[in-house]
Amino acid sequence: MSGRPPILFPLFAGLESLEGVGPKTAELLAQAGIERPRDLLFTLPHAGVDRRRVDTIRGLELPATATVEVTVGRHTKALRKGGPYRVEVEDAATSFQLVFFHARDDFLMRQLPTGQRRLVSGKLELFDGVAQMVHPDHILRPDEASEIPAYEPVYPLTAGVTQKVMAKAARSTLARAPELSDWIDPDLKLREGWPDWHAAVLAAHAPETARDLSPDNPARRRLAYDELFAHQLTLALARSVERRGKGRASVATGALQSKVLAALPYRPTAAQERAIAEIAEDMGGPKRMARLLQGDVGSGKTLVAVQALLVAVEAGGQGVMMAPTEILARQHLASIRPLAESAGVVVEILTGRDKGSERAAKLAALAAGDIHILVGTHAVFQKDVAFHDLRLAVIDEQHRFGVAQRMELGAKGHAVDVLVMTATPIPRSLALAQYGDMDLSMLDEKPPGRMPVKTALVSVARTEEVIARLRKAVAEGRQAYWVCPLVEESEAVDMTAAEERFRLLRAALGEGTVGLVHGQMPAAEKDAAMARFVAGETAVLVATTVIEVGVNVPNASIMVIEQAESFGLAQLHQLRGRVGRGDAASTCLLMYRPPLTELARQRLEILRETEDGFRIAEEDLAMRGAGDLIGTAQSGLPRFRIADLERQAGLMQVSQQDARRLLAVDPALESARGQAARVLLWLMEQDRAIRLISIG
């Protein structure tokens, strides 16, 4: 795939090639992420001002924006430096004042010569019964009147760049926007009533009413779709390259899986059975599996993972399960081993801690095929780790194992099926944005026997009461988490808050009963503190970051979250899921600082009402927006300029199906529509996709 198509060159030129943009403005725009004309094209107006002409301002309800032709009257200069400079003007029926502060007299005399006609437009307000327009937005000669559109688009501004400069630069960009062939499926375009690309861009920059600014406007919807489609096309290309790697059919016999089921004290849920069937079917097929297993806290992902690993073993191969930290790896081992051993399957763990002869012995057993399932951290990917016949990798998705790493796994010569597990219920539209190259299995029901967690809202004023309750619970042999607030500014502030809380609780509950973990601790100390809590040596664990709490301590039945209003809903739900894992009745106390905003109260009440993570995630998305929901910075979620994942969730699904369909009939993008799609990929700067086509 040779370089960028020439038709797009004008959109990728320097910003200074645009009218009215000099080096200084270009620099300011670049700070706001607008580096080339193309970026301006996709920076759409977010509001508009009605600048339709009126003959007179008489009868307008003030304050209002008015555009009116006037005759310029008397100038009254400012009496003191920086004071008001006034110009009397008269329209068809009445007079009013134009007011300027810090103005240069000579400049105003030239701009508003007494006795001449001018068109003025700006905000009119009443001051002491006099109508005034302070600093009009536009002052034009009648022959220049056409420069103001009847409905003026308002662009999102960046410091130091005015609306005028933005509008001029946008106009200059639109003048060089090329006509492009269409990459959208013609039936879809017809059904949705979408304009061609060029027409859509022009329309989006020239709204005629407030309705045209809505995400549902056909021109905007089309441009949003283009963004989502380019993104999904990239993911679909990655998926086809990933799956083109010869898969190996791992056909389940069911012999080992049935032993595990027989040893279970309960029956799997329908959701678990469905997920296991989907995975087994993928693994039995000739293509490589790339599947995402999405399950809420406590929905029984472990059982599904074990059954998937057993499919690999039944087919004569091995499986690996990767966790982000050693503690979580050990926990997976503890939950997987008893299940696997009931089927006579050998499970081992490999982490950075394994050294010398012990490590060598494990590696030898692995290479010989004597270890069937290996659990570990990313240490399992080191050079000297060789499997006898690796068929499945299960990745516990807390460490954002992206498409690139999944491809690397394939490049190791293992045609490995991949199952990624995530405990964060993500609304479907976001799951598609982040994992569109994978197929989805969802666990949306809880196994029987999980105790519901009682959730209560408590004001900070009642902290003493909470500590007294905690003292009583600890005396009864129960364990508790105490999560400190999230201070955005710095981890150091988080740390002091946590250390302070730790000292207070230690003083109240006694030496040795309270442990502490925070983000600034060395990993070994963190692990040791966690291990003491897991072993029950400490009764209360004070923690800052959410991440450190990925542990399973069935005896822990109390979760206190300070300043719960500073956490996202999904995080709160994750934290709450750390209790209620044993047979004791569990409680989650959401402590807040009054007064709560209406939105914060709504959010905390949703948690009180429901334990359904998918419902919580949907509510969270509606309230907070997609970027916040999964922390855009580290989530690998693309930043869309036009598409709005909350309001246009449905488009994401359509774009995924469309992208997969196009590649199914035209894998190398060589048809007319395929060629148009290549241009779209260049336009949307999907370089990765372009590299993937050239690999293909």
Side-chain angles (χ1 to χ4, degrees):
M1 175 113 182
S2 51
R4 182 180 295 130
I7 193 166
L8 295 179
F9 286 176
L11 294 180
F12 284 86
L15 282 178
E16 292 175 44
S17 60
L18 295 173
E19 203 188 329
V21 179
K24 182 91 182 70
T25 305
E27 200 176 311
L28 290 167
L29 287 170
Q31 284 168 15
I34 297 176
E35 291 168 12
R36 287 183 297 264
R38 163 223 179 261
D39 303 330
L40 253 175
L41 208 56
F42 297 132
T43 305
L44 301 185
H46 61 86
V49 182
D50 188 342
R51 297 217 189 261
R52 275 178 306 205
R53 311 290 137 85
V54 291
D55 291 331
T56 175
I57 66 160
R58 182 184 279 170
L60 287 183
E61 287 226 354
L62 301 190
T65 297
T67 306
V68 61
E69 196 173 314
V70 295
T71 303
V72 181
R74 198 180 61 201
H75 284 235
T76 311
K77 297 181 178 177
L79 296 173
R80 52 175 207 287
K81 194 170 161 32
Y85 180 115
R86 300 171 193 275
V87 182
E88 297 279 336
V89 295
E90 202 168 299
D91 65 22
T94 183
S95 62
F96 59 97
Q97 295 179 348
L98 306 181
V99 181
F100 301 87
F101 293 94
H102 302 287
R104 292 208 323 277
D105 302 3
D106 56 338
F107 173 72
L108 288 173
M109 292 299 234
R110 276 201 313 276
Q111 248 207 324
L112 291 157
T114 300
Q116 293 209 11
R117 307 278 292 162
R118 288 290 180 267
L119 185 76
V120 294
S121 182
K123 192 169 184 193
L124 262 177
E125 297 183 80
L126 270 184
F127 284 100
D128 298 333
V130 180
Q132 299 187 341
M133 189 181 283
V134 179
H135 291 280
D137 302 323
H138 299 277
I139 301 174
L140 299 168
R141 292 195 310 275
D143 60 334
E144 302 168 320
S146 62
E147 280 187 28
I148 314 182
Y151 189 77
E152 185 180 37
V154 176
Y155 287 92
L157 278 190
T158 103
V161 182
T162 63
Q163 278 302 339
K164 278 202 178 100
V165 170
M166 281 294 280
K168 198 174 210 176
R171 276 202 301 275
S172 173
T173 303
L174 289 170
R176 58 174 69 179
E179 299 268 357
L180 300 175
S181 310
D182 224 314
W183 43 78
I184 294 183
D185 172 37
D187 294 343
L188 173 69
K189 192 173 151 197
L190 195 67
R191 192 173 72 232
E192 294 283 345
W194 287 339
D196 286 344
W197 182 78
H198 189 261
V201 170
L202 294 180
H205 282 273
E208 287 173 11
T209 64
R211 263 214 319 281
D212 294 341
L213 297 165
S214 135
D216 296 329
N217 165 280
R220 286 197 173 221
R221 244 181 112 75
R222 176 212 155 124
L223 295 174
Y225 185 78
D226 292 341
E227 254 186 322
L228 299 177
F229 181 61
H231 174 62
Q232 285 300 338
L233 199 53
T234 304
L235 290 171
L237 279 162
R239 174 175 186 261
S240 61
V241 169
E242 224 173 330
R243 296 181 55 138
R244 204 176 310 155
K246 294 281 172 284
R248 297 178 51 204
S250 298
V251 181
T253 62
L256 301 172
Q257 295 179 70
S258 54
K259 286 184 179 160
V260 169
L261 292 178
L264 288 177
Y266 54 85
R267 282 204 50 198
T269 64
Q272 284 174 314
E273 287 179 343
R274 189 176 60 236
I276 293 167
E278 288 168 347
I279 292 164
E281 186 179 346
D282 272 5
M283 290 178 69
K287 293 201 157 160
R288 281 181 63 198
M289 170 171 80
R291 190 167 275 281
L292 176 69
L293 176 64
Q294 238 197 328
D296 201 352
V297 179
S299 57
K301 287 186 295 297
T302 307
L303 176 65
V304 177
V306 168
Q307 296 293 53
L309 289 161
L310 290 179
V311 171
V313 182
E314 287 174 356
Q318 294 164 296
V320 64
M321 175 139 186
M322 286 177 51
T325 64
E326 178 150 344
I327 281 188
L328 284 169
R330 294 199 177 279
Q331 226 167 278
H332 281 314
L333 180 72
S335 48
I336 287 175
R337 193 178 247 161
L339 288 172
E341 285 181 347
S342 62
V345 168
V346 181
V347 183
E348 258 310 336
I349 186 166
L350 184 69
T351 67
R353 207 181 279 182
D354 291 302
K355 300 275 185 285
S357 57
E358 194 182 338
R359 180 179 158 91
K362 280 185 187 177
L363 293 183
L366 197 63
D370 298 338
I371 294 173
H372 302 130
I373 296 173
L374 184 67
V375 177
T377 53
H378 50 256
V380 302
F381 280 151
Q382 282 160 353
K383 289 273 182 287
D384 56 344
V385 180
F387 289 83
H388 179 250
D389 178 10
L390 180 62
R391 286 166 178 255
L392 172 68
V394 178
I395 299 163
D396 185 355
E397 214 289 310
Q398 271 177 306
H399 59 306
R400 304 282 174 215
F401 198 79
V403 177
Q405 288 98 323
R406 295 204 297 272
M407 291 180 123
E408 222 165 274
L409 194 67
K412 274 194 172 277
H414 312 306
V416 184
D417 286 327
V418 177
L419 180 66
V420 175
M421 299 199 301
T422 168
T424 318
I426 319 174
R428 200 171 178 101
S429 60
L430 287 192
L432 289 175
Q434 223 178 339
Y435 305 101
D437 58 315
M438 309 190 80
D439 299 299
L440 226 56
S441 288
M442 285 167 107
L443 295 181
D444 44 14
E445 46 188 301
K446 289 222 161 94
R450 278 283 298 214
M451 298 282 284
V453 177
K454 186 173 172 255
T455 303
L457 306 185
V458 186
S459 155
V460 166
R462 294 170 54 196
T463 306
E464 289 305 314
E465 234 177 283
V466 172
I467 293 176
R469 274 181 65 181
L470 207 54
R471 191 181 296 119
K472 188 166 169 287
V474 168
E476 292 166 7
R478 293 162 65 186
Q479 284 177 279
Y481 296 95
W482 188 296
V483 178
C484 291
L486 233 70
V487 183
E488 289 301 327
E489 288 82 68
S490 82
E491 288 193 5
V493 183
D494 281 350
M495 182 173 86
T496 27
E499 285 173 343
E500 182 64 9
R501 176 53 68 206
F502 169 67
R503 278 196 294 277
L504 284 169
L505 287 176
R506 198 172 54 184
L509 305 173
E511 207 62 45
T513 21
V514 187
L516 170 70
V517 290
H518 58 68
Q520 303 274 304
M521 283 170 133
E525 269 182 52
K526 222 186 288 187
D527 282 2
M530 296 295 293
R532 282 196 297 276
F533 184 64
V534 172
E537 292 162 29
T538 46
V540 178
L541 184 65
V542 176
T544 49
T545 42
V546 177
I547 305 57
E548 266 85 46
V549 197
V551 290
N552 186 19
V553 183
N555 189 40
S557 58
I558 299 169
M559 169 65 72
V560 180
I561 304 172
E562 268 193 85
Q563 284 179 44
E565 72 275 15
S566 70
F567 291 86
L569 268 180
Q571 279 177 320
L572 290 169
H573 175 65
Q574 286 299 85
L575 285 169
R576 172 171 62 184
R578 300 289 150 218
V579 296
R581 292 168 170 248
D583 30 27
S586 294
T587 330
C588 174
L589 299 179
L590 303 173
M591 291 174 75
Y592 63 90
R593 271 202 193 136
L596 276 180
T597 63
E598 191 39 47
L599 195 62
R601 171 167 299 284
Q602 262 179 331
R603 284 180 31 208
L604 296 179
E605 285 181 347
I606 288 169
L607 277 161
R608 194 164 61 185
E609 279 165 36
T610 179
E611 283 195 67
D612 173 350
F614 286 99
R615 195 189 134 203
I616 288 170
E618 295 287 355
E619 297 273 1
D620 204 6
L621 178 61
M623 284 192 223
R624 275 207 307 169
D628 282 354
L629 196 58
I630 42 189
T632 313
Q634 79 284 358
S635 66
L637 186 73
R639 285 202 155 91
F640 295 118
R641 282 182 190 265
I642 298 175
D644 173 339
L645 287 181
E646 297 89 276
R647 315 259 267 299
Q648 300 173 321
L651 283 183
M652 182 62 93
Q653 206 149 353
V654 180
S655 69
Q656 187 201 36
Q657 291 160 350
D658 197 13
R660 287 187 175 189
R661 269 203 306 271
L662 174 60
L663 286 182
V665 298
D666 181 11
L669 297 180
E670 282 162 349
S671 64
R673 191 182 155 209
Q675 295 288 352
R678 288 177 176 234
V679 173
L680 170 70
L681 291 172
W682 281 110
L683 175 67
M684 294 301 181
E685 305 189 287
Q686 294 285 355
D687 310 6
R688 196 172 91 224
I690 291 156
R691 283 203 304 278
L692 291 171
I693 303 176
S694 45
I695 297 171

